[in-house]
Amino acid sequence: NAGVTQTPKFQVLKTGQSMTLQCAQDMNHNSMYWYRQDPGMGLRLIYYSASEGTTDKGEVPNGYNVSRLNKREFSLRLESAAPSQTSVYFCASSEGSRQPQHFGDGTRLSIL
Amino acid sequence: AQSVTQPDIHITVSEGASLELRCNYSYGATPYLFWYVQSPGQGLQLLLKYFSGDTLVQGIKGFEAEFKRSQSSFNLRKPSVHWSDAAEYFCAVGAIENYGGSQGNLIFGKGTKLSVKP
């Protein structure tokens, strides 16, 4: 009964370090998403994947890369972290491509 | 440009009282509309959605929302609030025309935090 699982839950990085946020879903969903949530900003889409092997940029893709290696997993990579990327990151999934249905509990990332 | 406005940042209601959370959108095309709820430290949960048809939609946890095209609104309502409803609520809009290139690109409002008094 896991749904969408994100790891890690918390992370502190120094500016310039790299990191990969992991996301896995066990609902056999086709679509997966990465969002960031900043205070007073709502959620903003970073990247989206409609199916295994396909990815599309969202509203704020700069500074991020993603990989959809298989149907279950969708990872988000920060190659050179910047303080502006301090945020809470949410992974989500859905059966179709209309809207995210299930969200993970988030990764709280601080970049010093 | 499309946008979503939730005019109330924070609302406090008494347990058992009725609730209405406001959402206004700006979009030239036919919108898809959504309400999500976020409990502290957790991800978002989809409460309800409107795509077409009946403008009054029912969701989970006893919530409903009404789409009013003339007012560009999609307000969320609940007749009697429970203490467990305390959370942050997000309205979101997606465009039918977007479901091709930028699929999944919902525009979220900034959220309304709901507190419930005993």
Side-chain angles (χ1 to χ4, degrees), chain A residues 37 40 48 97-98 100 103-104, chain B residues 36 38 43-44 51 99 103 110:
Chain A
Q37 183 178 33
Y48 163 77
S97 58
R98 288 188 167 183
F103 282 77
Chain B
Y36 290 85
Q38 184 179 31
L44 279 69
F51 288 163
Y99 292 100
Q103 293 178 16
K110 296 182 178 181

Side-chain angles (χ1 to χ4, degrees), chain A residues 98-111:
Chain A
R98 288 188 167 183
Q99 80 284 334
Q101 290 174 281
H102 299 274
F103 282 77
D105 288 339
T107 294
R108 284 146 186 82
L109 183 61
S110 293
I111 298 161

Side-chain angles (χ1 to χ4, degrees), chain A residues 33 35 37 40-45 48 50 56-59 90 97-106 108, chain B residues 32 34 36 38 40-46 49 51 88 90 99-111:
Chain A
Y33 314 74
Y35 286 90
Q37 183 178 33
M41 296 288 290
L43 272 75
R44 292 180 292 171
L45 183 67
Y48 163 77
D56 286 293
K57 293 179 180 179
E59 184 182 354
F90 287 100
S97 58
R98 288 188 167 183
Q99 80 284 334
Q101 290 174 281
H102 299 274
F103 282 77
D105 288 339
R108 284 146 186 82
Chain B
Y32 290 153
F34 309 86
Y36 290 85
Q38 184 179 31
Q42 295 186 12
L44 279 69
Q45 180 180 21
L46 180 63
K49 58 190 176 186
F51 288 163
E88 191 159 18
F90 292 91
Y99 292 100
S102 56
Q103 293 178 16
N105 196 12
L106 298 187
I107 302 298
F108 283 83
K110 296 182 178 181

Side-chain angles (χ1 to χ4, degrees), chain A residues 56-69:
Chain A
D56 286 293
K57 293 179 180 179
E59 184 182 354
V60 288
N62 290 344
Y64 305 96
N65 287 301
V66 291
S67 295
R68 182 83 183 271
L69 298 177

Side-chain angles (χ1 to χ4, degrees), chain B residues 14-90:
Chain B
S14 298
E15 191 168 15
S18 63
L19 171 70
E20 182 169 28
L21 301 182
R22 296 183 290 164
C23 173
N24 294 97
Y25 69 91
S26 172
Y27 200 75
T30 305
Y32 290 153
L33 295 159
F34 309 86
W35 275 100
Y36 290 85
V37 61
Q38 184 179 31
S39 297
Q42 295 186 12
L44 279 69
Q45 180 180 21
L46 180 63
L47 280 176
L48 49 77
K49 58 190 176 186
Y50 171 79
F51 288 163
S52 64
D54 192 347
T55 55
L56 183 64
V57 294
Q58 302 297 321
I60 62 172
K61 304 186 179 188
F63 285 92
E64 67 178 25
E66 186 171 11
F67 171 54
K68 294 185 177 180
R69 184 185 298 275
S70 62
Q71 298 178 18
S72 297
S73 70
F74 189 58
N75 294 348
L76 182 71
R77 302 193 295 245
K78 187 169 185 179
S80 178
V81 169
H82 188 263
W83 64 266
S84 61
D85 294 323
E88 191 159 18
Y89 292 80
F90 292 91

Side-chain angles (χ1 to χ4, degrees), chain A:
Chain A
N1 191 23
V4 178
T5 303
Q6 291 183 237
T7 55
K9 295 189 183 303
F10 302 93
Q11 185 69 49
V12 179
L13 294 177
K14 295 181 179 179
T15 298
Q17 287 184 316
S18 62
M19 170 163 193
T20 299
L21 308 186
Q22 305 288 350
C23 174
Q25 51 94 6
D26 61 3
M27 295 168 285
N28 203 36
H29 284 168
N30 287 314
S31 299
M32 296 186 74
Y33 314 74
W34 275 106
Y35 286 90
R36 61 178 289 173
Q37 183 178 33
D38 302 293
M41 296 288 290
L43 272 75
R44 292 180 292 171
L45 183 67
I46 306 172
Y47 270 94
Y48 163 77
S49 171
S51 60
E52 179 181 346
T54 68
T55 61
D56 286 293
K57 293 179 180 179
E59 184 182 354
V60 288
N62 290 344
Y64 305 96
N65 287 301
V66 291
S67 295
R68 182 83 183 271
L69 298 177
N70 53 58
K71 196 170 186 178
R72 286 190 68 247
E73 297 171 299
F74 188 38
S75 61
L76 178 72
R77 183 162 178 83
L78 287 70
E79 290 290 352
S80 180
S84 61
Q85 294 177 304
T86 293
S87 188
V88 181
Y89 291 85
F90 287 100
C91 178
S93 71
S94 61
E95 292 178 5
S97 58
R98 288 188 167 183
Q99 80 284 334
Q101 290 174 281
H102 299 274
F103 282 77
D105 288 339
T107 294
R108 284 146 186 82
L109 183 61
S110 293
I111 298 161
L112 307 178

